[in-house]
Amino acid sequence: MRNVSVLFVCLGNICRSPTAHGVFEQMVSEAGLQQYITVDSCGTGDWHIGHSPDKRSASAALSRGYDLSHLRSRQINGNDFNQFDYILVMDQQNLIDVQAMCPSDFTGKLELFLDYANNFSATKEVPDPYYGGLSGFDDVIDLVEDASKTLLSTLQMAVSKNAQP
Ligand code: 4NP
């Protein structure tokens, strides 16, 4: 087995990427792969550094069985591009912002998270729920759960001894 690491990125790191972080971390744990798959999240912006996830995200997640209470917001930094194997962003603007700071050697690590989605493949962006109604926070979880299942299968192959390089 080898180790792989995943970084989820959004704008504020208080709604979408912490939701992805908490949901995917739990799926990794349930698959017994927490030793091999490292999960983290961050934001492109600096407004919420050190803050807990937005209360609306935390309560939507908890009602679906995911605890986000251990997470704190941080901003993306230059070391992340070297450190993480998969850098998965929530929307096109995140991709533009992250590409602008990413050394050219590492741009292959950058992907839209919803490139892994099956049921919701028509939309490639996780919509920012911050200024919207409560249903937007549930919608984030639907999208994140869908993409996380495919991501987990992909990483299960990546960590397996028999995976092709
Ligand atoms: P997130 O949502 O990128 O999903 O964490 C946002 C949170 C805060 C702000 C924008 C988006 N904000 O402008 O403070």
Side-chain angles (χ1 to χ4, degrees):
M1 299 283 262
R2 65 187 189 92
N3 297 321
V4 297
S5 53
V6 183
L7 180 66
F8 294 108
V9 186
C10 65
L11 177 59
N13 192 213
I14 55 168
C15 299
R16 293 165 295 171
S17 61
T19 301
H21 185 161
V23 167
F24 191 64
E25 192 170 62
Q26 184 162 321
M27 288 186 184
V28 165
S29 194
E30 284 166 3
L33 292 171
Q34 65 274 21
Q35 228 183 304
Y36 304 104
I37 301 176
T38 302
V39 185
D40 198 4
S41 64
C42 64
T44 56
D46 63 0
W47 311 284
H48 298 286
I49 292 172
H51 294 181
S52 296
D54 187 286
K55 286 189 171 56
R56 298 164 296 175
S57 289
S59 89
L62 201 56
S63 72
R64 302 270 292 260
Y66 306 103
D67 182 7
L68 307 185
S69 63
H70 59 297
L71 304 179
R72 297 291 179 273
S73 175
R74 73 170 179 89
Q75 188 174 28
I76 193 165
N77 66 69
N79 293 333
D80 289 323
F81 298 108
N82 182 39
Q83 193 168 336
F84 287 91
D85 300 309
Y86 293 78
I87 300 174
L88 304 178
V89 304
M90 299 296 141
D91 64 28
Q92 294 287 353
Q93 187 59 51
N94 301 151
L95 191 57
I96 290 166
D97 293 340
V98 171
Q99 274 168 341
M101 8 168 358
C102 183
S104 55
D105 287 357
F106 299 133
T107 50
K109 297 180 175 186
L110 309 181
E111 295 176 278
L112 284 166
F113 183 34
L114 291 194
D115 281 343
Y116 290 90
N118 282 318
N119 300 330
F120 298 92
S121 56
T123 164
K124 287 289 180 196
E125 300 192 299
V126 181
D128 188 346
Y130 189 67
Y131 293 108
L134 284 182
S135 66
F137 293 84
D138 252 338
D139 295 343
V140 168
I141 300 175
D142 291 338
L143 294 165
V144 161
E145 279 183 336
D146 181 32
S148 291
K149 286 176 194 162
T150 312
L151 179 63
L152 183 59
S153 312
T154 305
L155 297 197
Q156 273 170 326
M157 286 190 279
V159 299
S160 151
K161 267 193 221 156
N162 300 323
Q164 299 301 310

